[in-house]
Each structure stands twice: as structure tokens, then as C-alpha cells.
Amino acid sequence: MKLFPPEPNVDLYNEGFGDVNILQRQRVGQSLSNLLDGVDDPLVIALDGNWGTGKSFFLKRWVGAHTIENGSNATTVYFDAFANDYVSDPLPALVSALAERLPEEDAETLQRVKSAAFKLAKPLARIGV
């Protein structure tokens, strides 16, 4: 039986890799930031691996490092699907995560998306049940 130490708390968006770089993930994060900054089209990237391999640790560090250490202007959003898997429709939780990260000048657009998402969530949940 493998025992893993508890995951350290990370101040999302305000803390990058810093000195916590034993496995050289900072270099991987820099490469990922460079890739994202070089693509103009919409892009989805999946990070896949076995349980306990450091996916969450990497992403929590990278969302801050993307701006702080790598100098990107792109807005990052960390959404933990596992932490929200108890709800039948993750859309409201995802929209809320986006709302927390979007600049205030996009507030009107976000409010329309949020309103539509919550209107759709109830009927979709009933259909799912």
C-alpha cells in the first residue's frame, strides 16, 4: 500500500512553481505556456495520468506560473472536475469558476452566459434524473 503525503495548499493564480521544482515541472509549465501563447485558435489540452502522479499539483502551480513566471497575458481558470463530480450538471460550477477569473469589463457578457447556464441546468437535471 502506497502512502502519499497530504497535498500542500497552493494559492491559485498567485503562486507559481517557485522553489518547489524538484521534478523540473517548471520547465514543462514554461513549454505549455509557450504553446498556448503561440496558438490563436480555441484549444483544449488534456492532462492524463495515474492517480498520485502529480497532475493536480502541476496544474495548481502552473495556473499561477503561467502569468507570474512565464509572463503570459492569457487568463487561466483552474476547475477541479473531481471536486465537483457529486452534482449531476457541472455547468453551473464551471460557469462560477469562469466568473471568478474574468476581468470586470466582461461582466455583462458573463452575466448573460451565467443566466443561460442556470436556466438550462434545472431542466437538464430533471431530464438526467
Side-chain angles (χ1 to χ4, degrees), residues 54-71:
K55 299 175 301 294
S56 295
F57 177 85
F58 172 77
L59 288 175
K60 286 179 180 181
R61 295 290 179 169
W62 178 76
V63 295
H66 185 60
T67 304
I68 297 167
E69 297 169 4
N70 302 337

Side-chain angles (χ1 to χ4, degrees), residues 81-92:
F82 185 72
N84 291 284
D85 74 345
Y86 62 92
V87 295
S88 60
D89 183 13
L91 184 61

